[in-house]
């Protein structure tokens, strides 16, 4: 049996990553490997604060389309105004059709667009497939992660929720993380499949040929609040939103 040069290189890379503690995730829907280093560095964008890299395009777990990476950033958390820690790096993904939805803002200054409430609303509510890829930059307890995440998403849920209970949505979200081990390098995917389905996957950087299993929550308010966290007027990662807007109009 003949083995191609490409296959030999792939096997060498996987073995090397296993030995060094790095690994890949891959699924049958063309999800690309996620790693901080590797031979495919030209296909990835590095978040400068954490050093975590994201692929420029991929089909996220539960998604139906290949999405493009628009921006990356870091989510930091301050404790008692004394110490600031890096919690996770985030990559924001959308399908190409988003460019049609933001045409009215072309030609305006990025700084002006970032403060425009109507632009943020249009970007969040645009009926295109979107995704968030969070990669933990440190070990985090599930309770601690959910407490911070729920605090950040609750205002958006209250704003978008008219016919649903905020507590029920947060409870459904919490169930997905119950029993998870959120160690450094854990990847959390949120994929918004139109019109209101949010696919959520929590996975480790381990070699696999199958797509990570995912859970689904059908909630338009959750979808809008999730992306409002990162694309609203006061995002949890200003760097990620700024990079996204810059990418959209470059």
């Amino acid at each position: 049996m003949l083995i191609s040069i490409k296959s030999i290189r792939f096997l060498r890379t996987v073995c090397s990553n296993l030995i060094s503690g790095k690994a890949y995730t891959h699924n049958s829907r063309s999800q690309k490997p996620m790693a901080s280093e590797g031979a495919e560095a030209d296909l990835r964008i590095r978040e400068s604060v954490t050093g975590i890299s994201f692929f420029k395009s991929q089909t996220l777990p539960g998604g139906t389309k290949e999405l493009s990476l628009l921006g990356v950033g870091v989510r930091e958390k301050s404790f008692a105004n004394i110490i600031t820690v890096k919690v996770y790096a985030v990559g924001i993904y959308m399908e190409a059709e988003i460019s049609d939805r933001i045409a009215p803002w072309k030609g305006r200054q990025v700084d002006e667009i970032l403060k425009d409430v109507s632009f943020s609303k249009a970007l969040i509510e645009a009926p295109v497939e979107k995704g968030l890829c969070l990669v933990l930059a440190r070990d985090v307890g599930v309770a601690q992660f959910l407490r911070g995440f729920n605090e950040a998403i609750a205002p958006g849920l209250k704003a978008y929720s008219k016919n649903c209970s905020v507590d029920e949505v947060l409870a459904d979200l919490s169930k997905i993380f119950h029993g998870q081990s959120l160690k450094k390098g854990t990847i959390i995917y949120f994929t918004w499949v139109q019109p209101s389905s949010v696919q959520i996957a929590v996975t480790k950087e381990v070699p696999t040929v199958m797509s990570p299993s995912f859970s689904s929550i059908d909630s338009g308010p959750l979808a809008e609040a999730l992306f409002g966290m990162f694309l609203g007027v006061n995002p949890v990662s200003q760097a990620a939103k700024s990079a996204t807007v810059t990418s959209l109009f470059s």
Side-chain angles (χ1 to χ4, degrees), residues 173 176 189-193 196-200 214-220 222-224 226-227:
L173 187 63
I176 295 173
Y189 296 99
F190 295 99
T191 311
W192 182 357
V193 179
S196 59
S197 180
V198 180
Q199 318 292 357
I200 304 168
F214 59 88
S215 301
S216 181
I217 298 178
D218 188 31
S219 172
L222 173 61
E224 292 178 332
L226 270 171
F227 284 84

Side-chain angles (χ1 to χ4, degrees), residues 30-117:
S30 300
Q31 182 182 333
K32 295 182 175 65
M34 171 71 76
S36 58
E37 297 177 351
E40 298 184 0
D42 58 323
L43 300 178
R44 295 179 272 118
I45 292 178
R46 181 176 177 271
E47 195 287 308
S48 60
V49 177
T50 61
I52 294 170
S53 296
F54 297 85
F55 274 86
K56 293 179 180 178
S57 65
Q58 60 177 319
T59 302
L60 303 184
T64 63
K65 301 176 181 180
E66 185 169 56
L67 308 182
S68 298
L69 178 65
L70 296 180
V72 299
V74 61
R75 165 62 160 153
E76 296 180 316
K77 184 71 174 178
S78 296
F79 295 95
N81 294 320
I82 298 175
I83 184 172
T84 300
V85 299
K86 297 181 286 291
V87 183
Y88 56 78
V90 59
I92 300 175
Y93 291 81
M94 294 189 194
E95 61 176 292
E97 284 74 8
I98 187 62
S99 60
D100 298 330
R101 302 287 173 173
I102 59 170
W105 286 270
K106 289 183 178 178
R108 294 171 58 179
Q109 295 296 317
V110 170
D111 289 345
E112 180 185 356
I113 295 173
L114 287 170
K115 301 174 184 177
D116 191 329
V117 177

